[in-house]
Amino acid sequence: MSNTEPTTKAPAAWAEQGKARLTVIVFVVTHLVGIGVVKGLGNSDFLSLTPLQLLTSFSLLIWNHEEKNAGLWLYLALAFLTGYFVEVAGVATGVIFGSYSYGEVLGLKLLDTPLLIGINWAMLVYAANITAKWLLPSGFPVAGLTLIGGAIPVALDWFLEPVAIQYGMWSWEDGVPPLQNYIGWFAVSLLLSFLCQRLACDRHNPVAPWLIAAQFIFFIALQA
């Protein structure tokens, strides 16, 4: 048994490393190309590919999740529904984030809200929580991981907002996002972070920190 066990595990380990490397390459290349096309060449039409980019990133991220189980799928379903319907309520009432409306960049809309926004919430909070776990020492309290996992998406939104406004992803009634937006983001992120820590984010995903890093670099670079 001891002689055969390494040979049965080695191909699986190699395959896992291979798909992680491939995913990181896709994340890096697509985000760098995006920076070059949008900023360097001044072609904002590239942003019409945003739905494809988001779906690709989401799919590759989940592909690399260790031991996909019911907890993962439950988190993704709850995060999608929560994120989407919170945004529906936000657009309709202006109470949660402030008064804003979505443009056409994020694709198909239902109830004046892009369906992809639910996927974006699920993806960002998941990746942020895995990244928090990667950044912090082993045994760090779950409450702390939940808090930091909820804070990372808010930090990303700070850099995302000017780009989103400039390129028509969404717009604010007063032209700039109010403080209420960031408070609302943190409240929703914290709720989803709580769900993620209890349902899915106890697993390993080697590419999540790369996606978070690529997103920060992308949105910061487009402002520079």
Side-chain angles (χ1 to χ4, degrees):
M1 180 67 70
S2 61
N3 290 333
T4 59
E5 187 174 4
T7 59
T8 58
K9 287 185 176 180
W14 182 89
E16 289 296 316
Q17 293 173 2
K19 74 180 184 181
R21 291 190 185 110
L22 174 62
T23 298
V24 169
I25 290 171
V26 173
F27 285 167
V28 172
V29 170
T30 55
H31 284 81
L32 288 179
V33 168
I35 293 169
V37 173
V38 176
K39 186 175 179 63
L41 302 180
N43 186 358
S44 60
D45 290 341
F46 182 82
L47 290 177
S48 66
L49 298 176
T50 298
L52 177 61
Q53 164 70 12
L54 195 155
L55 286 172
T56 299
S57 296
F58 174 75
S59 299
L60 289 174
L61 182 68
I62 301 307
W63 184 40
N64 282 272
H65 180 86
E66 181 184 62
E67 297 180 22
K68 300 172 188 64
N69 55 18
L72 172 67
W73 305 122
L74 179 58
Y75 160 75
L76 293 175
L78 291 174
F80 171 82
L81 292 172
T82 300
Y84 173 72
F85 283 109
V86 163
E87 294 278 358
V88 169
V91 169
T93 68
V95 170
I96 301 172
F97 304 105
S99 297
Y100 67 109
S101 60
Y102 280 101
E104 305 303 321
V105 173
L106 295 177
L108 180 66
K109 289 190 285 188
L110 181 64
L111 302 175
D112 295 321
T113 304
L115 292 171
L116 281 178
I117 205 68
I119 292 178
N120 192 57
W121 271 109
M123 180 181 75
L124 282 183
V125 175
Y126 167 87
N129 274 267
I130 298 293
T131 300
K133 185 179 176 182
W134 176 75
L135 288 171
L136 297 167
S138 177
F140 198 83
V142 172
L145 290 171
T146 301
L147 186 64
I148 295 170
I152 290 174
V154 183
L156 179 62
D157 185 53
W158 177 266
F159 297 104
L160 187 159
E161 286 290 343
V163 177
I165 295 167
Q166 180 180 354
Y167 293 106
M169 294 182 187
W170 55 78
S171 59
W172 293 92
E173 185 176 68
D174 296 327
V176 294
L179 176 62
Q180 178 185 350
N181 171 62
Y182 302 104
I183 295 173
W185 258 75
F186 184 63
V188 177
S189 294
L190 196 60
L191 172 61
L192 298 185
S193 182
F194 175 85
L195 292 174
C196 193
Q197 285 295 332
R198 279 142 190 82
L199 294 172
C201 292
D202 60 336
R203 305 294 178 178
H204 180 60
N205 191 324
V207 305
W210 287 90
L211 178 59
I212 289 293
Q215 294 255 312
F216 270 101
I217 291 169
F218 180 80
F219 290 114
I220 291 171
L222 288 185
Q223 295 181 59

